[in-house]
Amino acid sequence: MSLTLEETAHVARLARLRLTPDELARMQVQLSNILDHFTLLQEVDVSDIPPTAQVTDLVNAMRDDLVRPSLPRDEALANAPAQAEGMFRVGAIFEE
Amino acid sequence: MHDYLVTIGLEVHAQILTASKMFCGCSADYADAAPNTHVCPTCLGLPGALPVINRRAIEFAIATGLALNCRIQHANLISRKNYFYADLPSGYQRSQYDDPLCVAGWLDIDGDEGPRRIGLTRVHIEEDTGKLTHADDNTSLVDFNRAGVPLMEIVSEPDIASPEEAKRYFQKLRQILIWIGVNTGDMEKGALRCDANVSLRPVGQEAYGAKVEIKNMNSFRALERALVYEIDRQAAVLRAGGRITQETRGWDESRGITEAQRTKEGSADYRYFPEPDIPPLQVDETLIDACRARLPELPDTRRARFMHEYGLSLQDAETLTADRHRAAYYERTVIAVQAVGGTPRDAAVWIAGELLRLINDTGEELQAAETRLPPAAVAEVVDMLLRGAITRTTAKEAFEVAFRTGQSPAQIVAERGWAVISDTDALTRLAREVIAAHPKAVAEYQGGKATAIKFLIGQIMKATKGQASPQMVQSALEAELDPGA
């Protein structure tokens, strides 16, 4: 398997996923399979192809610096599970 | 610090002065807005929203790079910096990692031992995060008005050798950003923020010591104090044979100390990757040239020009180029003063000497004071002085009254009867009166004590409330006392 259990746990932590030991073991297999698949893709010779993160062929998509209307606040907050004083309420975050 | 060499690098975050946010049309003016009123699907990180780059933010960042002697890169990449924090709605911050917009610049400052050139590693663009407020009940409240506001991160090389130099570098950087109009310079409102990297190494050692990052310094004074504290702290640890851990420390202004901060979980693991929603940004020479053409004459150039073109001292030239508005006001005053036969030096004396003192007293900006005291008013004072219509003392008073009331100096002098008494008949009359009233001084003078005339001059100056020319008073007295002379 290309991923260790520790690496899988690390990735889960970065993704804020709380996994049971069973789930973790299952993810280790599945993630490893995906990575193995990419190993296969890496065998293709791409030395003549420039790297890209794009598929649209667009360049310099820019807009003028104009202010447009924002969302009404109740709409902005509509999906917030908790709110107070017009703000999103989240679990305590202590300033570092 | 004789046994250790200090190495400091600064990371400055400057809000790019645009009307709208970096990737959406929400207003970027978050300072006084009600919470979550400048937000939309894009800056809230809602699925399906499409970010589009604000052209002015790019142009301002290019202008900044040019003003800081950077090379502007043609191929640019916007990347996602991934981490979880409640002030970051999408779970990633759009920033630049590889291929920043501007690289390899420099900034010249007055160093501890003469002129110093501080290298600039890079200037890159990124978006700001939201703002967290901590509530009493163990929860935090999030306002996303600031999320997506355009920032420049300006990173220096580790070329700074002392807290004093760090402060001068930051001050100079701030001056330039305000000067070219890309930032307000308002540190209290967070439009300009600074982090520092500090390390110490024993004299003679090549390799840098472990680097400590200091955050939360919100003023020039705080920057300097925090660095002084941190250098002492590290030196003490090293002298005691200890080791410095690479870490992030926060400056506590009220206690005057730095302390280790709890690190964000996995903060080293940002998993940068190219932002797929934003097509590549290609900056061509045409755009760079256009930004260069719009750049105003920079402070250092202008200061040097003031010295050779107007014959100003370094100190006056520096004072008069502290900001662009002041420099422009001075140059308009030079033209007005020259029109009445004065010199650029005269203009400098009145502005650097009198006007700045008065503004300092009232605590206002030159822009506000200028409506009451335009360059023409300064020229009027110079004109009256050159013509001998007023004494220097009266000139200062007229200048100050004009500054306070907005009245024209000539009018002030006329209305208050401050013009010099140059009527010889009137002075002769006054001389006779004073001679008659002070026979003792007259006797002394005529007995050979030449200085006794000073007392008589003083009496006339008092009677005229200082509006007579002392030379003319003396002549009038002498004519009466030594009629034969």
Side-chain angles (χ1 to χ4, degrees):
Chain A
M1 239 174 306
S2 49
L3 269 186
T4 66
L5 201 61
E6 287 71 35
E7 284 168 334
T8 312
H10 180 61
V11 172
R13 201 170 66 99
L14 289 175
R16 290 296 191 274
L17 295 173
R18 232 174 252 128
L19 302 179
T20 64
D22 280 356
E23 287 170 329
L24 201 59
R26 201 156 72 235
M27 287 302 138
Q28 184 192 5
V29 176
Q30 291 187 1
L31 267 181
S32 292
N33 284 343
I34 293 169
L35 284 178
D36 292 344
H37 187 65
F38 278 97
T39 316
L40 195 69
L41 283 176
Q42 275 179 340
E43 286 169 19
V44 181
D45 180 11
V46 292
S47 50
D48 289 342
I49 302 169
T52 180
Q54 301 289 325
V55 291
T56 59
D57 281 339
L58 289 172
V59 171
N60 291 353
M62 290 196 265
R63 41 173 266 276
D64 290 334
D65 181 27
L66 296 173
V67 174
R68 305 210 167 277
S70 297
L71 281 180
R73 184 156 75 185
D74 50 344
E75 276 184 44
L77 291 165
N79 292 330
Q83 45 181 284
E85 297 164 47
M87 290 185 270
F88 296 83
R89 187 201 280 272
V90 298
I93 289 158
F94 297 104
E95 272 304 304
E96 317 87 292
Chain B
M1 206 56 49
H2 300 297
D3 38 355
Y4 294 103
L5 289 175
V6 174
T7 305
I8 300 169
L10 293 190
E11 272 177 32
V12 171
H13 284 90
Q15 182 183 342
I16 307 177
L17 197 48
T18 54
S20 63
K21 291 188 180 180
M22 185 80 215
F23 298 111
C24 63
C26 289
S27 168
D29 188 9
Y30 61 83
D32 300 313
N36 294 306
T37 53
H38 294 179
V39 293
C40 73
T42 301
C43 58
L44 283 175
L46 300 184
L50 192 66
V52 184
I53 294 176
N54 182 338
R55 183 180 293 109
R56 181 168 290 163
I58 300 299
E59 289 170 354
F60 277 5
I62 293 172
T64 304
L66 292 171
L68 299 174
N69 310 293
C70 291
R71 193 175 77 237
I72 312 301
Q73 303 232 94
H74 294 164
N76 272 271
L77 200 58
I78 311 286
S79 292
R80 289 185 180 181
K81 176 180 179 180
N82 299 279
Y83 64 94
F84 286 102
Y85 210 63
D87 61 8
L88 190 66
S90 52
Y92 54 83
Q93 179 190 30
R94 294 186 188 92
S95 181
Q96 292 192 287
Y97 186 60
D98 293 324
D99 299 329
L101 190 53
C102 318
V103 295
W106 77 80
L107 187 59
D108 286 331
I109 63 162
D110 296 322
D112 296 338
E113 289 149 23
R116 292 258 292 143
R117 176 159 291 183
I118 308 299
L120 286 161
T121 317
R122 58 192 279 159
V123 178
H124 77 241
I125 48 168
E126 62 184 30
E127 57 181 342
D128 210 343
T129 60
K131 192 166 167 286
L132 287 168
T133 318
H134 306 288
D136 299 331
D137 60 348
N138 241 19
T139 63
S140 292
L141 300 175
V142 199
D143 169 15
F144 287 115
N145 284 344
R146 202 180 63 185
V149 165
L151 296 178
M152 295 182 275
E153 181 173 319
I154 303 164
V155 184
S156 88
E157 292 285 310
D159 289 345
I160 300 166
S162 73
E164 172 72 24
E165 280 191 5
K167 188 180 74 177
R168 291 218 197 101
Y169 164 85
F170 191 24
Q171 284 172 333
K172 182 95 179 257
L173 185 57
R174 177 175 180 270
Q175 181 199 22
I176 290 173
L177 296 177
I178 298 172
W179 188 283
I180 65 174
V182 299
N183 180 264
T184 61
D186 193 332
M187 294 161 72
E188 237 165 79
K189 286 185 177 156
L192 193 63
R193 305 164 227 162
C194 174
D195 301 334
N197 287 305
V198 196
S199 72
L200 262 59
R201 63 187 151 140
V203 171
Q205 178 182 310
E206 278 289 305
Y208 291 126
K211 190 169 77 175
V212 172
E213 185 176 11
I214 309 172
K215 291 184 173 289
N216 198 31
M217 299 166 293
N218 301 323
S219 67
F220 295 123
R221 198 175 118 79
L223 170 66
E224 200 178 7
R225 283 179 71 207
L227 288 173
V228 166
Y229 174 87
E230 179 61 19
I231 289 164
D232 286 348
R233 185 191 71 85
Q234 290 189 21
V237 171
L238 293 171
R239 279 198 200 99
R243 284 173 60 92
I244 300 296
T245 348
Q246 183 160 343
E247 62 181 346
T248 301
R249 299 177 72 88
W251 169 245
D252 185 325
E253 177 75 27
S254 54
R255 288 194 290 158
I257 59 167
T258 65
E259 32 175 27
Q261 290 189 333
R262 213 171 55 122
T263 51
K264 288 178 192 170
E265 281 174 276
S267 64
D269 206 347
Y270 288 134
R271 293 155 291 146
Y272 283 95
F273 65 84
E275 163 63 278
D277 287 343
I278 298 177
L281 178 62
Q282 299 282 357
V283 176
D284 59 18
E285 285 300 322
T286 316
L287 178 58
I288 298 172
D289 286 344
C291 292
R292 189 178 283 119
R294 281 199 293 265
L295 216 53
E297 183 184 27
L298 295 171
D300 279 1
T301 317
R302 199 157 195 175
R303 187 185 63 194
R305 182 166 65 77
F306 278 16
M307 289 171 74
H308 77 246
E309 193 174 325
Y310 300 134
L312 299 188
S313 67
L314 173 64
Q315 200 197 340
D316 278 349
E318 199 152 295
T319 304
L320 293 168
T321 54
D323 66 67
R324 206 167 130 204
H325 189 86
R326 188 185 287 181
Y329 176 83
Y330 169 68
E331 292 212 85
R332 278 183 283 130
T333 307
V334 166
I335 293 168
V337 164
Q338 283 177 325
V340 299
T343 65
R345 287 270 319 132
D346 293 330
V349 165
W350 284 104
I351 296 173
E354 290 303 306
L355 182 55
L356 294 184
R357 179 181 61 81
L358 293 168
I359 285 175
N360 207 28
D361 286 350
T362 57
E364 63 188 326
E365 298 284 330
L366 177 58
Q367 279 93 322
E370 191 189 331
T371 56
R372 304 191 305 274
L373 198 81
V378 182
E380 243 172 61
V381 173
V382 173
D383 180 42
M384 288 188 284
L385 196 54
L386 287 175
R387 284 192 286 108
I390 50 175
T391 61
R392 184 154 281 280
T393 317
T394 310
K396 281 193 181 185
E397 280 177 45
F399 190 92
E400 185 162 343
V401 173
F403 169 82
R404 302 208 187 283
T405 63
Q407 230 188 335
S408 115
Q411 205 182 344
I412 292 163
V413 167
E415 274 180 16
R416 305 192 180 203
W418 284 354
V420 165
I421 298 170
S422 49
D423 175 348
T424 16
D425 290 345
L427 289 178
T428 302
R429 210 163 46 240
L430 280 167
R432 284 177 187 159
E433 280 171 30
V434 167
I435 288 166
H438 300 281
K440 192 166 160 248
V442 173
E444 277 175 15
Y445 177 76
Q446 281 167 340
K449 193 181 168 198
T451 52
I453 200 168
K454 297 270 187 247
F455 171 79
L456 299 171
I457 294 172
Q459 294 306 308
I460 294 181
M461 295 308 290
K462 209 162 110 188
T464 59
K465 299 195 182 76
Q467 288 160 46
S469 145
Q471 288 78 21
M472 290 181 72
V473 170
Q474 182 157 1
S475 305
L477 278 167
E478 283 168 353
E480 291 303 308
L481 292 166
D482 325 295

